[in-house]
Every structure is written in structure tokens, then in C-alpha cells.
Amino acid sequence: MNVALGGTFDPVHDGHHALFERAFSLGDVTVGLTSDSLAPKTRAVDRPVRDYETRKAALAEELEPVAATHDREFTIRTLTEPTGIATEPKFDAIVVSPETVAGAKRVNERRVDDGLDPLEIEVVDHVMAEDGERISSTRILNGEIDRHGNLTPAASGRQSE
């Protein structure tokens, strides 16, 4: 099976690893990594994003051991539009988080319009931090949590809303 997965992945955290694990459990993976111009447009919160080449190198380092564990191959490609690579005929499934299901449905609409079979949409639940809120790159960059969801010293005593 050929699996599509997309995102900015900056920084990579345990929530991303849940996506990686699911994707590699299904088959070989092609990761669409947002381009420098697309990355800011996909952010719900305006925050700094490292350049594409830096993110690509960090992502490859994270993907290699997961791919090896599942005896799978992976490729990282540049995403220049939100529906990106998943509209290509070679894919069978797409792995998404709950907030990106709508995007996967748009991909399938486009695939059907193009005469292709829709992708199997695999939704991976969020991974929660120790405070019960979801792990996110924004929270990591804000200094609230580390990549594993542990509260950082600056965040100790914070209550979730």
C-alpha cells in the first residue's frame, strides 16, 4: 500500500510520531512537507517555522528509525498546495489528524473529479500532554511542553482551561 502524509512538522513531536507509526503500519510512505511559502498559510497560529531544508533534514532523521522498524520505505516531497501529492494516482491511503480530516475529504473529492478512487482516510487521535491538552508544535515553541508532552519548568502549575 502507498500512503500519503503531509504537514509542516516543526518541531516533530509525539503526536507526529503517532501519525508516522500508523502510516508505516499500512505501507510505504510519501511525506509531503510544506514548502516555505505554504507553511505559514497552514498555521492556525502565526509562529516561526524553520526553513524547508532544515525541516526536511530533521524529519528524515525522525522517519528513518520508524521506517526501519516496519521494514518500509519513505520519500519526502515538497508540498506547494494543501491537497498536494495525495491527488496522485499511486496512493491508496492518507493518514491525518482529527483537525485535517476536512482536507483529506477535499483530496478525495478532487481524486473522484479526476476519475481516481478515493483514498482510505486513516484518522489518528491526538496525543495528549501530561496536562490533558493535546501536544502541538505551537505549545512546544511557546515553552509550555516538550516534544513528549511533559510540562516544562516555565509551565509548572498551569491549569488547563
Side-chain angles (χ1 to χ4, degrees):
M1 180 176 281
N2 289 306
V3 182
L5 174 65
T8 301
F9 304 109
D10 185 46
V12 175
H13 53 69
D14 286 0
H16 294 137
H17 272 274
L19 294 170
F20 303 159
E21 285 290 339
R22 183 65 183 135
F24 283 115
S25 76
L26 296 171
D28 293 328
V29 177
T30 301
V31 180
L33 182 62
T34 55
S35 66
D36 287 334
S37 60
L38 181 60
K41 297 174 187 171
T42 64
R43 309 281 31 99
V45 175
D46 186 28
R47 64 169 176 81
V49 175
R50 294 179 300 170
D51 68 272
Y52 178 85
E53 290 302 325
T54 301
R55 289 182 289 122
K56 182 178 179 182
L59 179 60
E61 189 174 306
E62 297 283 345
L63 292 172
E64 286 169 0
V66 184
T69 297
H70 292 277
D71 194 27
R72 304 288 191 184
E73 300 292 324
F74 73 89
T75 305
I76 300 172
R77 293 184 37 206
T78 307
L79 275 184
T80 57
E81 62 177 281
T83 53
I85 61 171
T87 57
E88 296 174 8
K90 76 175 196 172
F91 294 104
D92 307 299
I94 186 168
V95 174
V96 297
S97 56
E99 72 273 8
T100 57
V101 171
K105 289 179 179 178
R106 282 192 303 275
V107 165
N108 274 343
E109 289 169 4
R110 188 163 159 199
R111 287 178 64 88
V112 169
D113 288 347
D114 292 344
L116 299 172
D117 290 334
L119 298 175
E120 180 179 322
I121 299 173
E122 294 286 328
V123 182
V124 176
D125 287 334
H126 292 127
V127 175
M128 298 300 157
E130 70 177 344
D131 63 359
E133 299 295 320
R134 76 179 180 95
I135 296 175
S136 73
S137 296
T138 300
R139 291 189 70 201
I140 295 166
L141 292 174
N142 287 342
E144 298 173 38
I145 58 174
D146 66 15
R147 63 181 274 157
H148 304 295
N150 300 306
L151 293 174
T152 59
S156 61
R158 256 185 215 194
Q159 300 295 317
S160 57
E161 297 177 349

